[in-house]
Amino acid sequence: MIGVLVTFTQTEKFDRSALAKVAGELRGPFEGMAGLRFKSFMLGEDGIQARNFYVWDDEDKARAFFTEELVGKVTGVYGVPPKIEYLDIMEFVDNSGA
């Protein structure tokens, strides 16, 4: 498994309601996406960082998803280019079925 943390940092605070609307609109294409286990849309406590966290089955699928075209699209949505970090998930606890 691999995690991907995508961070968008602005100098001004993000509009929380606008980000919530974006998350609601963009949720659909991720539901049932092959290779994607989880995705979350998040806003940092300071309000200047929006983050998306993905958990993928394998690194190839994760890296294939984050194309230059996709980066361009999300830059348009969030108004700033993302920082993309790939993280090796060594262990994962899933309590959602408990």
Side-chain angles (χ1 to χ4, degrees):
M1 268 190 302
I2 186 164
V4 182
L5 180 61
V6 180
T7 304
F8 303 89
T9 303
Q10 291 195 148
T11 54
E12 304 280 325
K13 286 187 174 186
F14 280 98
D15 178 328
R16 188 185 191 291
S17 61
L19 281 184
K21 182 179 178 191
V22 166
E25 291 171 354
L26 296 179
R27 175 189 178 128
F30 293 101
E31 293 177 343
M33 183 178 281
L36 180 66
R37 288 192 181 197
F38 298 97
K39 180 188 188 323
S40 61
F41 297 86
M42 304 174 289
L43 179 61
E45 189 173 32
D46 59 9
I48 64 168
Q49 287 189 325
R51 293 185 179 107
N52 296 330
F53 186 68
Y54 302 75
V55 176
W56 293 88
D57 287 330
D58 67 67
E59 186 172 348
D60 290 339
K61 288 178 183 172
R63 290 188 183 273
F65 179 76
F66 293 98
T67 63
E68 285 186 38
E69 181 182 351
L70 179 89
V71 170
K73 285 181 183 179
V74 297
T75 297
V77 170
Y78 287 88
V80 291
K83 175 183 177 188
I84 301 173
E85 299 173 74
Y86 295 89
L87 309 163
D88 183 13
I89 297 176
M90 297 185 300
E91 190 63 53
F92 189 83
V93 176
D94 180 1
N95 292 324
S96 61

